[in-house]
Every structure is written in structure tokens, then in C-alpha cells.
């Protein structure tokens, strides 16, 4: 995941031939991060199943084909 300080910064990065992935706001990134790492410090934590990961993505509005597992 890359963060850019402005649209111009992103456009410059793309102009250098770098591929574009999916764009999201910092608010969505923060929400995803909180949900993604929730509970990892607790005993008994386990990796999420494919379906659980998909549910995390969907819960923060990441539903485009880019986010489909």
C-alpha cells in the first residue's frame, strides 16, 4: 500500500510508468488497518479464512474486482 501526499504526486508516480492499483482515502485505509489487525495480539489468534478476509474488505467498502479474492 502506498500513500501519496497529493493527486499531483500520484500522477507523477504514474507518469514514470508505475502501475495504478486501487485508490482509497486515508479514512478507509485507517478503518481497514484497525479491522485487519484487531485481535492479533490476543492468545488463540488465527489467520482469517478467505471468506473472513473478503468480509473485512467488504466491511470498509472495498468491493471492486480489485479486492475480490
Amino acid at each position: 500500500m502506498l500513500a501519496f501526499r497529493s493527486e499531483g504526486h500520484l500522477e507523477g508516480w504514474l507518469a514514470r510508468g508505475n502501475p495504478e492499483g486501487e485508490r482509497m482515502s486515508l479514512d478507509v485505509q485507517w478503518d481497514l488497518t484497525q479491522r485487519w489487525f484487531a485481535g492479533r495480539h490476543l492468545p488463540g489468534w488465527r489467520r482469517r479464512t478467505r471468506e473472513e478476509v473478503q468480509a473485512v474488505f467488504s466491511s470498509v467498502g472495498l468491493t471492486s474486482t480489485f479486492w475480490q479474492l
Side-chain angles (χ1 to χ4, degrees), residues 6-50:
S6 67
E7 285 290 324
H9 186 217
L10 169 61
E11 295 305 325
W13 189 79
L14 293 172
R16 292 189 296 277
N18 294 299
E20 183 172 358
E22 185 83 359
R23 296 182 190 197
M24 70 176 80
S25 69
L26 286 175
D27 290 337
V28 171
Q29 287 181 24
W30 180 247
D31 197 13
L32 175 61
T33 300
Q34 289 181 308
R35 292 169 194 250
W36 189 258
F37 290 105
R40 286 193 179 214
H41 66 289
L42 298 174
W45 178 86
R46 63 168 177 71
R47 291 182 75 130
R48 289 181 180 91
T49 65
R50 182 182 190 104

Side-chain angles (χ1 to χ4, degrees), residues 48-62:
R48 289 181 180 91
T49 65
R50 182 182 190 104
E51 292 77 21
E52 290 168 335
V53 169
Q54 195 69 65
V56 170
F57 292 162
S58 295
S59 73
V60 297
L62 301 174

